[in-house]
Amino acid sequence: TTYGGSIQINDGTGVITLYTATGATFASATFPTGTVSITGNLTDYGGTVTPPNTNAQIQLRSAADVQ
């Protein structure tokens, strides 16, 4: 799996979409497997970021946001 597009991630309590534009410089890099720590911007994709929300997504600034 690469960073580009939408990836469903699970934090152990629920699932959220991690989105990276396919034009991002790191979009073709391989997304790490296993447990990672993610720093990003929580955004609202076409809805409201209030439970239950299916429109929330995390957007990364760079691959360095995933450790």
mmCIF file of all heavy atoms in Angstrom, residues 3-11 14-21 31 38 40-45 53-60:
data_model
loop_
_atom_site.group_PDB
_atom_site.id
_atom_site.type_symbol
_atom_site.label_atom_id
_atom_site.label_comp_id
_atom_site.label_asym_id
_atom_site.label_seq_id
_atom_site.Cartn_x
_atom_site.Cartn_y
_atom_site.Cartn_z
ATOM 1 N N TYR A 3 1.038 5.701 0.100
ATOM 2 C CA TYR A 3 0.363 6.807 0.766
ATOM 3 C C TYR A 3 -0.748 7.405 -0.089
ATOM 4 O O TYR A 3 -1.721 7.934 0.433
ATOM 5 C CB TYR A 3 1.365 7.925 1.097
ATOM 6 C CG TYR A 3 2.256 7.650 2.267
ATOM 7 C CD1 TYR A 3 3.491 7.031 2.106
ATOM 8 C CD2 TYR A 3 1.886 8.035 3.540
ATOM 9 C CE1 TYR A 3 4.327 6.795 3.186
ATOM 10 C CE2 TYR A 3 2.715 7.805 4.637
ATOM 11 C CZ TYR A 3 3.931 7.185 4.441
ATOM 12 O OH TYR A 3 4.747 6.961 5.507
ATOM 13 N N GLY A 4 -0.600 7.378 -1.405
ATOM 14 C CA GLY A 4 -1.523 8.066 -2.305
ATOM 15 C C GLY A 4 -2.952 7.578 -2.218
ATOM 16 O O GLY A 4 -3.215 6.387 -2.230
ATOM 17 N N GLY A 5 -3.886 8.512 -2.097
ATOM 18 C CA GLY A 5 -5.304 8.179 -2.023
ATOM 19 C C GLY A 5 -5.756 8.013 -0.591
ATOM 20 O O GLY A 5 -5.207 8.609 0.328
ATOM 21 N N SER A 6 -6.771 7.184 -0.402
ATOM 22 C CA SER A 6 -7.368 6.977 0.916
ATOM 23 C C SER A 6 -6.957 5.626 1.487
ATOM 24 O O SER A 6 -7.031 4.613 0.800
ATOM 25 C CB SER A 6 -8.893 7.024 0.824
ATOM 26 O OG SER A 6 -9.323 8.298 0.411
ATOM 27 N N ILE A 7 -6.537 5.629 2.735
ATOM 28 C CA ILE A 7 -6.190 4.415 3.467
ATOM 29 C C ILE A 7 -7.055 4.402 4.714
ATOM 30 O O ILE A 7 -7.147 5.406 5.425
ATOM 31 C CB ILE A 7 -4.697 4.419 3.887
ATOM 32 C CG1 ILE A 7 -3.777 4.541 2.692
ATOM 33 C CG2 ILE A 7 -4.368 3.176 4.706
ATOM 34 C CD1 ILE A 7 -2.320 4.781 3.087
ATOM 35 N N GLN A 8 -7.680 3.285 5.006
ATOM 36 C CA GLN A 8 -8.453 3.145 6.238
ATOM 37 C C GLN A 8 -7.502 2.688 7.336
ATOM 38 O O GLN A 8 -6.847 1.658 7.201
ATOM 39 C CB GLN A 8 -9.581 2.134 6.056
ATOM 40 C CG GLN A 8 -10.580 2.530 4.990
ATOM 41 C CD GLN A 8 -11.253 3.858 5.288
ATOM 42 O OE1 GLN A 8 -11.775 4.070 6.372
ATOM 43 N NE2 GLN A 8 -11.218 4.754 4.325
ATOM 44 N N ILE A 9 -7.414 3.464 8.419
ATOM 45 C CA ILE A 9 -6.545 3.103 9.528
ATOM 46 C C ILE A 9 -7.398 2.872 10.779
ATOM 47 O O ILE A 9 -8.466 3.448 10.927
ATOM 48 C CB ILE A 9 -5.453 4.167 9.793
ATOM 49 C CG1 ILE A 9 -6.070 5.537 10.066
ATOM 50 C CG2 ILE A 9 -4.493 4.237 8.611
ATOM 51 C CD1 ILE A 9 -5.070 6.586 10.491
ATOM 52 N N ASN A 10 -6.908 2.010 11.654
ATOM 53 C CA ASN A 10 -7.635 1.646 12.861
ATOM 54 C C ASN A 10 -6.753 1.933 14.071
ATOM 55 O O ASN A 10 -5.623 1.461 14.141
ATOM 56 C CB ASN A 10 -8.000 0.161 12.812
ATOM 57 C CG ASN A 10 -8.913 -0.244 13.934
ATOM 58 O OD1 ASN A 10 -8.792 0.220 15.059
ATOM 59 N ND2 ASN A 10 -9.834 -1.131 13.634
ATOM 60 N N ASP A 11 -7.292 2.699 15.014
ATOM 61 C CA ASP A 11 -6.523 3.025 16.219
ATOM 62 C C ASP A 11 -6.867 2.107 17.392
ATOM 63 O O ASP A 11 -6.468 2.355 18.518
ATOM 64 C CB ASP A 11 -6.724 4.484 16.626
ATOM 65 C CG ASP A 11 -8.121 4.774 17.159
ATOM 66 O OD1 ASP A 11 -8.980 3.871 17.131
ATOM 67 O OD2 ASP A 11 -8.350 5.911 17.601
ATOM 68 N N GLY A 14 -11.568 2.520 16.632
ATOM 69 C CA GLY A 14 -12.372 2.854 15.467
ATOM 70 C C GLY A 14 -11.504 3.050 14.249
ATOM 71 O O GLY A 14 -10.281 2.946 14.308
ATOM 72 N N VAL A 15 -12.155 3.344 13.138
ATOM 73 C CA VAL A 15 -11.472 3.490 11.853
ATOM 74 C C VAL A 15 -11.668 4.912 11.352
ATOM 75 O O VAL A 15 -12.735 5.503 11.508
ATOM 76 C CB VAL A 15 -12.048 2.484 10.824
ATOM 77 C CG1 VAL A 15 -11.449 2.679 9.457
ATOM 78 C CG2 VAL A 15 -11.833 1.059 11.294
ATOM 79 N N ILE A 16 -10.618 5.464 10.732
ATOM 80 C CA ILE A 16 -10.684 6.778 10.106
ATOM 81 C C ILE A 16 -9.882 6.706 8.804
ATOM 82 O O ILE A 16 -9.005 5.866 8.650
ATOM 83 C CB ILE A 16 -10.155 7.893 11.043
ATOM 84 C CG1 ILE A 16 -10.490 9.282 10.480
ATOM 85 C CG2 ILE A 16 -8.664 7.728 11.304
ATOM 86 C CD1 ILE A 16 -10.292 10.418 11.474
ATOM 87 N N THR A 17 -10.197 7.583 7.893
ATOM 88 C CA THR A 17 -9.498 7.633 6.620
ATOM 89 C C THR A 17 -8.258 8.508 6.731
ATOM 90 O O THR A 17 -8.315 9.618 7.267
ATOM 91 C CB THR A 17 -10.418 8.207 5.518
ATOM 92 O OG1 THR A 17 -11.555 7.364 5.392
ATOM 93 C CG2 THR A 17 -9.704 8.294 4.189
ATOM 94 N N LEU A 18 -7.156 7.992 6.236
ATOM 95 C CA LEU A 18 -5.922 8.765 6.089
ATOM 96 C C LEU A 18 -5.833 9.089 4.614
ATOM 97 O O LEU A 18 -5.787 8.188 3.771
ATOM 98 C CB LEU A 18 -4.718 7.931 6.529
ATOM 99 C CG LEU A 18 -3.356 8.597 6.386
ATOM 100 C CD1 LEU A 18 -3.229 9.730 7.398
ATOM 101 C CD2 LEU A 18 -2.251 7.587 6.589
ATOM 102 N N TYR A 19 -5.848 10.384 4.270
ATOM 103 C CA TYR A 19 -5.871 10.779 2.863
ATOM 104 C C TYR A 19 -4.609 11.527 2.482
ATOM 105 O O TYR A 19 -4.184 12.443 3.176
ATOM 106 C CB TYR A 19 -7.085 11.667 2.555
ATOM 107 C CG TYR A 19 -7.066 12.164 1.135
ATOM 108 C CD1 TYR A 19 -7.427 11.321 0.096
ATOM 109 C CD2 TYR A 19 -6.649 13.444 0.826
ATOM 110 C CE1 TYR A 19 -7.376 11.750 -1.223
ATOM 111 C CE2 TYR A 19 -6.597 13.895 -0.475
ATOM 112 C CZ TYR A 19 -6.959 13.038 -1.494
ATOM 113 O OH TYR A 19 -6.900 13.464 -2.790
ATOM 114 N N THR A 20 -4.027 11.128 1.353
ATOM 115 C CA THR A 20 -2.892 11.831 0.772
ATOM 116 C C THR A 20 -3.187 12.042 -0.706
ATOM 117 O O THR A 20 -3.538 11.092 -1.414
ATOM 118 C CB THR A 20 -1.591 11.015 0.914
ATOM 119 O OG1 THR A 20 -1.352 10.760 2.295
ATOM 120 C CG2 THR A 20 -0.405 11.756 0.333
ATOM 121 N N ALA A 21 -3.063 13.265 -1.173
ATOM 122 C CA ALA A 21 -3.281 13.561 -2.591
ATOM 123 C C ALA A 21 -2.306 12.753 -3.434
ATOM 124 O O ALA A 21 -1.132 12.615 -3.072
ATOM 125 C CB ALA A 21 -3.104 15.048 -2.855
ATOM 126 N N PHE A 31 3.510 2.768 2.473
ATOM 127 C CA PHE A 31 3.041 3.055 3.827
ATOM 128 C C PHE A 31 3.513 1.937 4.744
ATOM 129 O O PHE A 31 3.392 0.765 4.407
ATOM 130 C CB PHE A 31 1.509 3.149 3.853
ATOM 131 C CG PHE A 31 0.953 3.685 5.133
ATOM 132 C CD1 PHE A 31 0.918 5.045 5.371
ATOM 133 C CD2 PHE A 31 0.490 2.838 6.115
ATOM 134 C CE1 PHE A 31 0.414 5.558 6.558
ATOM 135 C CE2 PHE A 31 -0.015 3.320 7.315
ATOM 136 C CZ PHE A 31 -0.052 4.689 7.530
ATOM 137 N N ILE A 38 0.894 8.730 14.096
ATOM 138 C CA ILE A 38 0.579 9.624 12.985
ATOM 139 C C ILE A 38 0.293 11.019 13.506
ATOM 140 O O ILE A 38 -0.476 11.197 14.458
ATOM 141 C CB ILE A 38 -0.639 9.110 12.196
ATOM 142 C CG1 ILE A 38 -0.313 7.761 11.564
ATOM 143 C CG2 ILE A 38 -1.080 10.112 11.147
ATOM 144 C CD1 ILE A 38 -1.469 7.084 10.897
ATOM 145 N N GLY A 40 -1.084 14.648 11.916
ATOM 146 C CA GLY A 40 -1.679 15.200 10.704
ATOM 147 C C GLY A 40 -2.773 16.171 11.046
ATOM 148 O O GLY A 40 -3.010 16.490 12.221
ATOM 149 N N ASN A 41 -3.432 16.640 10.017
ATOM 150 C CA ASN A 41 -4.542 17.569 10.179
ATOM 151 C C ASN A 41 -5.852 16.809 10.064
ATOM 152 O O ASN A 41 -6.069 16.096 9.083
ATOM 153 C CB ASN A 41 -4.491 18.648 9.090
ATOM 154 C CG ASN A 41 -3.253 19.494 9.206
ATOM 155 O OD1 ASN A 41 -2.937 19.987 10.272
ATOM 156 N ND2 ASN A 41 -2.543 19.663 8.109
ATOM 157 N N LEU A 42 -6.726 16.965 11.054
ATOM 158 C CA LEU A 42 -8.053 16.377 10.993
ATOM 159 C C LEU A 42 -8.918 17.300 10.149
ATOM 160 O O LEU A 42 -9.035 18.493 10.427
ATOM 161 C CB LEU A 42 -8.654 16.234 12.392
ATOM 162 C CG LEU A 42 -10.065 15.652 12.452
ATOM 163 C CD1 LEU A 42 -10.067 14.213 11.941
ATOM 164 C CD2 LEU A 42 -10.606 15.731 13.863
ATOM 165 N N THR A 43 -9.476 16.759 9.078
ATOM 166 C CA THR A 43 -10.280 17.565 8.177
ATOM 167 C C THR A 43 -11.661 16.954 8.010
ATOM 168 O O THR A 43 -11.900 15.806 8.359
ATOM 169 C CB THR A 43 -9.610 17.705 6.801
ATOM 170 O OG1 THR A 43 -9.470 16.411 6.202
ATOM 171 C CG2 THR A 43 -8.237 18.357 6.921
ATOM 172 N N ASP A 44 -12.543 17.743 7.469
ATOM 173 C CA ASP A 44 -13.918 17.362 7.226
ATOM 174 C C ASP A 44 -14.117 17.288 5.719
ATOM 175 O O ASP A 44 -13.996 18.275 5.024
ATOM 176 C CB ASP A 44 -14.804 18.429 7.852
ATOM 177 C CG ASP A 44 -16.263 18.258 7.546
ATOM 178 O OD1 ASP A 44 -16.652 17.205 7.023
ATOM 179 O OD2 ASP A 44 -17.023 19.194 7.837
ATOM 180 N N TYR A 45 -14.409 16.104 5.221
ATOM 181 C CA TYR A 45 -14.599 15.917 3.798
ATOM 182 C C TYR A 45 -16.087 15.832 3.497
ATOM 183 O O TYR A 45 -16.684 14.774 3.531
ATOM 184 C CB TYR A 45 -13.870 14.658 3.320
ATOM 185 C CG TYR A 45 -14.005 14.423 1.839
ATOM 186 C CD1 TYR A 45 -13.395 15.279 0.943
ATOM 187 C CD2 TYR A 45 -14.738 13.361 1.352
ATOM 188 C CE1 TYR A 45 -13.514 15.079 -0.420
ATOM 189 C CE2 TYR A 45 -14.863 13.147 -0.005
ATOM 190 C CZ TYR A 45 -14.256 14.011 -0.888
ATOM 191 O OH TYR A 45 -14.386 13.815 -2.233
ATOM 192 N N ASN A 53 -19.465 10.311 12.524
ATOM 193 C CA ASN A 53 -19.003 11.010 11.329
ATOM 194 C C ASN A 53 -18.274 10.068 10.396
ATOM 195 O O ASN A 53 -17.326 9.421 10.780
ATOM 196 C CB ASN A 53 -18.087 12.157 11.732
ATOM 197 C CG ASN A 53 -17.558 12.873 10.526
ATOM 198 O OD1 ASN A 53 -18.242 12.962 9.521
ATOM 199 N ND2 ASN A 53 -16.361 13.362 10.605
ATOM 200 N N THR A 54 -18.694 10.018 9.175
ATOM 201 C CA THR A 54 -17.996 9.219 8.179
ATOM 202 C C THR A 54 -17.191 10.106 7.243
ATOM 203 O O THR A 54 -16.612 9.630 6.292
ATOM 204 C CB THR A 54 -18.988 8.381 7.355
ATOM 205 O OG1 THR A 54 -19.930 9.264 6.731
ATOM 206 C CG2 THR A 54 -19.722 7.390 8.239
ATOM 207 N N ASN A 55 -17.170 11.409 7.519
ATOM 208 C CA ASN A 55 -16.475 12.355 6.642
ATOM 209 C C ASN A 55 -15.152 12.850 7.199
ATOM 210 O O ASN A 55 -14.457 13.612 6.552
ATOM 211 C CB ASN A 55 -17.375 13.553 6.355
ATOM 212 C CG ASN A 55 -18.644 13.135 5.645
ATOM 213 O OD1 ASN A 55 -18.601 12.415 4.662
ATOM 214 N ND2 ASN A 55 -19.775 13.551 6.165
ATOM 215 N N ALA A 56 -14.797 12.453 8.402
ATOM 216 C CA ALA A 56 -13.533 12.888 8.985
ATOM 217 C C ALA A 56 -12.387 12.161 8.304
ATOM 218 O O ALA A 56 -12.503 11.000 7.927
ATOM 219 C CB ALA A 56 -13.504 12.607 10.480
ATOM 220 N N GLN A 57 -11.291 12.867 8.103
ATOM 221 C CA GLN A 57 -10.092 12.245 7.554
ATOM 222 C C GLN A 57 -8.874 12.957 8.111
ATOM 223 O O GLN A 57 -8.945 14.095 8.527
ATOM 224 C CB GLN A 57 -10.092 12.269 6.037
ATOM 225 C CG GLN A 57 -10.056 13.644 5.434
ATOM 226 C CD GLN A 57 -10.145 13.626 3.917
ATOM 227 O OE1 GLN A 57 -10.472 12.619 3.325
ATOM 228 N NE2 GLN A 57 -9.856 14.741 3.292
ATOM 229 N N ILE A 58 -7.758 12.251 8.122
ATOM 230 C CA ILE A 58 -6.487 12.833 8.538
ATOM 231 C C ILE A 58 -5.676 13.072 7.271
ATOM 232 O O ILE A 58 -5.567 12.189 6.415
ATOM 233 C CB ILE A 58 -5.719 11.894 9.476
ATOM 234 C CG1 ILE A 58 -6.527 11.659 10.752
ATOM 235 C CG2 ILE A 58 -4.340 12.469 9.807
ATOM 236 C CD1 ILE A 58 -5.936 10.618 11.676
ATOM 237 N N GLN A 59 -5.124 14.268 7.136
ATOM 238 C CA GLN A 59 -4.253 14.579 6.012
ATOM 239 C C GLN A 59 -2.841 14.807 6.527
ATOM 240 O O GLN A 59 -2.633 15.515 7.512
ATOM 241 C CB GLN A 59 -4.739 15.820 5.266
ATOM 242 C CG GLN A 59 -6.034 15.569 4.531
ATOM 243 C CD GLN A 59 -6.465 16.763 3.711
ATOM 244 O OE1 GLN A 59 -6.266 17.900 4.108
ATOM 245 N NE2 GLN A 59 -7.064 16.496 2.578
ATOM 246 N N LEU A 60 -1.887 14.182 5.848
ATOM 247 C CA LEU A 60 -0.477 14.297 6.218
ATOM 248 C C LEU A 60 0.167 15.468 5.505
ATOM 249 O O LEU A 60 -0.233 15.844 4.408
ATOM 250 C CB LEU A 60 0.266 13.007 5.830
ATOM 251 C CG LEU A 60 -0.267 11.716 6.421
ATOM 252 C CD1 LEU A 60 0.516 10.535 5.833
ATOM 253 C CD2 LEU A 60 -0.164 11.731 7.920
#
